[in-house]
Amino acid sequence: MTLSRIILGFLALRSMTGYDLMRAFATSAAYFWHADKAQIYRTLGRLVEEGFACTEVVPGTNAPDRIVHHVTGRGRDALRAWLVAPPTQQAPRDPFIARMFFAGELNDDELFALIDARVADATAERDALLAIRTKTVRPTPGGDRSGWLRSMTLDQGIREHDENLEWLAAVRAGLGAEQRS
């Protein structure tokens, strides 16, 4: 249900095509929620079937027609109900942490390769978020509250990657990695 409500949230910001939604997930939601193309289009179809969204075909000029999705009043009601409901905690699922749990079976080279790969990924993801931060205007909470809240979620994504990198450095240090470098 979370994915459908996130999509309704994006549609409440502005009407979008499926492609627009994929870009929105890749550029503004990737640090807190991942959805692939198939999930987005499948969920859009369900939202339309359930009356939470509707579509409009916009004829293309020298391009294919675009199917633009709009949130309906019923969709806004569903989004609002989700927003005001008590938060539910989802159990974390992190394949890397699962590997680390059992990584005592690895030799040093394999273990450090695993850690180094995670450091590289976390650094790249954090740097991508920092690049987004530098390209966006930071609204004030008293002005554009919605924009400010979106920018605060970006800050949280950056903090999570920074904390992950600090933890990885502590793991490496605990394993004596500085002696291996």
Side-chain angles (χ1 to χ4, degrees):
M1 181 171 89
T2 302
L3 175 60
S4 68
R5 295 318 182 249
I6 292 171
I7 289 174
L8 286 175
F10 278 126
L11 294 178
L13 293 174
R14 69 178 177 84
S15 298
M16 296 184 185
T17 64
Y19 178 77
D20 294 333
L21 279 164
M22 288 186 328
R23 265 197 342 239
F25 271 94
T27 60
S28 67
Y31 52 92
F32 64 86
W33 202 269
H34 171 77
D36 62 33
K37 179 180 179 178
Q39 291 172 309
I40 291 169
Y41 280 96
R42 192 171 43 249
T43 304
L44 275 172
R46 274 198 311 274
L47 290 171
V48 170
E49 285 174 14
E50 295 168 356
F52 295 141
C54 61
T55 60
E56 169 190 10
V57 176
V58 177
T61 309
N62 297 326
D65 292 347
R66 295 172 6 119
I67 299 174
V68 179
H69 295 79
H70 306 273
V71 67
T72 63
R74 189 166 173 222
R76 284 187 190 279
D77 291 345
L79 174 62
R80 181 161 180 69
W82 177 67
L83 291 171
V84 299
T88 55
Q89 183 65 36
Q90 287 193 319
R93 295 187 312 176
D94 186 332
F96 174 78
I97 297 299
R99 288 178 183 183
M100 289 299 293
F101 187 84
F102 298 107
E105 300 295 317
L106 300 177
N107 66 42
D108 286 351
D109 290 339
E110 293 168 327
L111 179 57
F112 288 113
L114 178 64
I115 294 168
D116 292 345
R118 179 63 171 235
V119 167
D121 287 346
T123 300
E125 291 170 10
R126 191 239 3 242
D127 291 350
L129 296 180
L130 288 169
I132 293 169
R133 163 61 61 227
T134 62
K135 294 177 189 173
T136 56
V137 175
R138 186 175 186 99
T140 61
D144 176 9
R145 184 170 75 168
S146 293
W148 181 78
L149 288 169
R150 286 191 298 274
S151 79
M152 292 304 292
T153 63
L154 176 60
D155 288 352
Q156 178 61 19
I158 294 166
R159 283 187 185 110
E160 287 176 3
H161 286 298
D162 284 340
E163 290 171 7
N164 190 15
L165 289 166
E166 287 176 29
W167 177 78
L168 289 162
V171 170
R172 284 185 64 81
L175 293 169
E178 64 278 349
Q179 298 168 3
R180 292 178 45 90
S181 299

